[in-house]
Amino acid sequence: MSNESRERGVELGSLKADLEDHDYPISQDHLLEEHGDIEVEMGEETASVEELIAPLNEDEYASYDEVEGSVMNMVSDDAIGRKNYSDRTPPAPGEDRDEETPSGDDLEGEAESF
């Protein structure tokens, strides 16, 4: 699958293209009829679109962004990987990062508590 269908650790697969090309607004019932059985990959887990968004009981979705937001809100924490981690953030004031080990693996046990 292409990286274009992956959002924040969730693999949307063909669902992304299908929903981006869909006419909106769309009722939740109609959305689930057409796409409810599509599996969404979340790390090592999968869930159907219906399992993810049916509990929200929305009347309708006005855009793809609303559908995607609902899916992303309902995936488990396992989909996002390690919480509060980013190797893209700059060092905090006073933080001395070793450029060769940006993950901080060599700093085990030396983390400051704030």
Side-chain angles (χ1 to χ4, degrees):
M1 301 253 160
S2 74
N3 285 339
E4 290 182 15
S5 64
R6 179 173 291 279
E7 299 286 336
R8 294 173 257 161
V10 177
E11 178 60 57
L12 299 173
S14 64
L15 178 65
K16 180 174 178 149
D18 290 349
L19 292 178
E20 284 179 329
D21 293 338
H22 213 287
D23 291 328
Y24 291 92
I26 184 173
S27 71
Q28 179 170 301
D29 291 340
H30 188 108
L31 176 72
L32 294 178
E33 279 178 30
E34 289 190 21
H35 306 286
D37 61 340
I38 295 176
E39 293 290 317
V40 175
E41 295 178 23
M42 307 165 295
E44 295 182 17
E45 298 177 26
T46 62
S48 71
V49 171
E50 184 167 10
E51 290 171 323
L52 292 171
I53 66 172
L56 297 174
N57 294 319
E58 293 290 332
D59 290 328
E60 70 178 22
Y61 294 93
S63 67
Y64 166 75
D65 291 335
E66 284 188 10
V67 176
E68 180 189 47
S70 294
V71 169
M72 295 304 168
N73 285 334
M74 297 301 288
V75 297
S76 71
D77 289 345
D78 293 335
I80 63 170
R82 196 165 99 198
K83 289 185 181 180
N84 301 321
Y85 173 77
S86 174
D87 60 354
R88 292 177 178 87
T89 57
E95 179 183 10
D96 184 26
R97 276 193 200 164
D98 180 8
E99 293 300 318
E100 292 186 15
T101 55
S103 66
D105 291 341
D106 66 333
L107 301 176
E108 190 173 314
E110 295 180 28
E112 261 185 67
S113 177
F114 294 99

